[in-house]
Amino acid sequence: MRRRDFISGLGAATLARPVRAQPLAIPLIGYLGPESPEPFASRLKAFREGLGETGYSESRNVAIEYRWAQGQYKLLPALAADLAARKPAVIVAAGGAPAALAAKSATGTITIVFEMGGDPVALGVVDSLSRPGGNLTGVSSLSVEVSRKRLEFMRELLPDETVFAVAVNPTSPTADSQLKNLHAAADALGVRLHVLSTSDEIEFEGLFSAVAGLDAGGLVFTSDPYFAFRSQRLAALATRYRVPAITQSRDFPNAGGLMSYGGDFTQSHRRTGIYAGRILNGEKPADLPVQLVTKVELFVNLKAAGALGIAVPPTLLSSADVVIE
């Protein structure tokens, strides 16, 4: 065989050999959470459902790197920076303004989809709701804006009471605006407020014991993820100290507390998943307006009310989205 024929034959054999397909790289989502996976379970379920609506499944065609602050919100900036260093296609900052602000400080180029209860414009997260600008967009559940309504519901439940306590997390970026709204509501209702500050779970018991000493008729919690994710602990203390209380999270009355009023977190997290999927499909954050979850839910636990010796007025029951018998 001539050398030229040998080389031609070798080339033909090479072309005939099947080419092994290279595995396609799947996109990466960085997920930043202020707590741990356990209290986030129902929210994660809703997020994954939303992601699935856009064609993505964590077990099939998308990878998710999780970073959890375990309730230590001061760790969020470092965790966000670690996620940004991994160059994900999108960072999801769920569970409140602290996570969103930490993610924003970590990167100006990677797309961030946030989920929070506050006003993202007032907090400086985006320029406007309709045209977010920059690399951020997301969902707000309006829980912060309805703090004053919780005081109104408590006053409706206890019309003879003239003093109420308010629990606020002083480290929250929305604390001042919520207190301003609550004081305005108190003036309109003709009641006085005692503000109790706490940002640590070990102080919760002292918070409830202080309510009795203040001769306050009930306790109103401001909107804050730290409170929301500790609903079972708050419900247990409210029961032990016999304190009528209202929080933002339905988890509180579901755990035995009296009432809750706040945004529908399952809807906000599902929409966050949808937005993350749309980003993976090529849409730009500047083209996706911030979504507002306008559904706000009132939960009333009649068993808790009975244990406290409170008769819930029919007008309040008719306003409730869910009444727990």
Side-chain angles (χ1 to χ4, degrees):
M1 179 184 293
R2 290 179 300 172
R3 182 173 182 272
R4 181 181 300 171
D5 293 337
F6 173 77
I7 294 173
S8 297
L10 182 62
T14 302
L15 291 173
R17 185 181 304 153
V19 178
R20 180 177 298 174
Q22 295 297 317
L24 295 175
I26 62 175
L28 175 65
I29 294 174
Y31 192 101
L32 180 65
E35 296 292 336
S36 57
E38 292 77 14
F40 250 76
S42 58
R43 293 162 174 81
L44 280 175
K45 181 176 182 291
F47 168 76
R48 289 169 178 144
E49 288 172 353
L51 199 58
E53 291 182 33
T54 62
Y56 290 96
S57 170
E58 189 175 2
S59 60
R60 182 169 53 86
N61 60 354
V62 68
I64 305 179
E65 284 263 356
Y66 297 94
R67 294 293 181 274
W68 301 101
Q70 306 290 339
Q72 300 182 59
Y73 291 10
K74 63 184 179 181
L75 300 179
L76 285 168
L79 295 173
D82 180 55
L83 279 176
R86 297 177 182 274
K87 306 296 183 185
V90 58
I91 293 176
V92 173
L101 291 168
K104 182 178 182 179
S105 70
T107 177
T109 55
I110 299 170
T111 296
I112 297 166
V113 176
F114 59 80
E115 185 278 335
M116 66 171 66
D119 181 348
V121 177
L123 291 166
V125 177
V126 295
D127 296 333
S128 76
L129 298 179
S130 59
R131 301 185 65 83
N135 62 315
L136 292 95
T137 188
V139 184
S140 174
S141 63
L142 300 178
S143 288
V144 166
E145 280 66 30
V146 299
S147 284
R148 64 177 292 155
K149 191 68 177 176
R150 292 188 202 110
L151 178 60
E152 293 172 7
F153 282 134
M154 190 64 79
R155 172 67 163 167
E156 184 178 354
L157 179 70
L158 303 166
D160 295 330
E161 298 292 345
T162 58
V163 179
F164 292 93
V166 171
V168 63
N169 181 351
T171 67
S172 169
T174 64
D176 290 341
S177 62
Q178 290 191 74
L179 284 178
K180 181 180 178 181
N181 289 337
L182 282 163
H183 281 296
D187 290 341
L189 293 169
V191 300
R192 291 186 297 114
L193 299 182
H194 286 290
V195 178
L196 305 173
S197 297
T198 178
S199 58
D200 194 318
E201 188 172 358
I202 64 174
E203 300 170 343
F204 284 179
E205 187 156 3
L207 180 79
F208 280 91
S209 64
V211 173
L214 293 170
D215 198 29
L219 177 60
V220 177
F221 279 85
T222 55
S223 295
D224 187 82
Y226 194 81
F227 295 150
F229 290 114
R230 284 153 185 81
S231 293
Q232 290 191 346
R233 173 67 172 157
L234 294 176
L237 288 169
T239 301
R240 183 189 308 170
Y241 285 91
R242 296 183 56 79
V243 173
I246 183 170
T247 76
Q248 79 184 79
S249 175
R250 66 170 78 164
D251 294 338
F252 178 70
N254 283 336
L258 181 58
M259 291 194 298
S260 70
Y261 187 68
D264 182 353
F265 64 77
T266 58
Q267 288 299 315
S268 62
H269 283 262
R270 183 183 67 82
R271 293 188 189 185
T272 302
I274 292 172
Y275 258 21
R278 289 177 66 176
I279 294 295
L280 295 181
N281 284 331
E283 296 189 59
K284 304 299 182 185
D287 298 328
L288 297 174
V290 175
Q291 293 192 45
L292 299 179
V293 177
T294 56
K295 181 181 179 182
V296 186
E297 305 172 314
L298 173 63
F299 278 57
V300 177
N301 187 323
L302 284 182
K303 183 178 179 180
L308 291 166
I310 297 173
V312 181
T315 54
L316 190 57
L317 288 176
S318 65
S319 300
D321 296 273
V322 176
V323 175
I324 301 170
E325 301 287 350

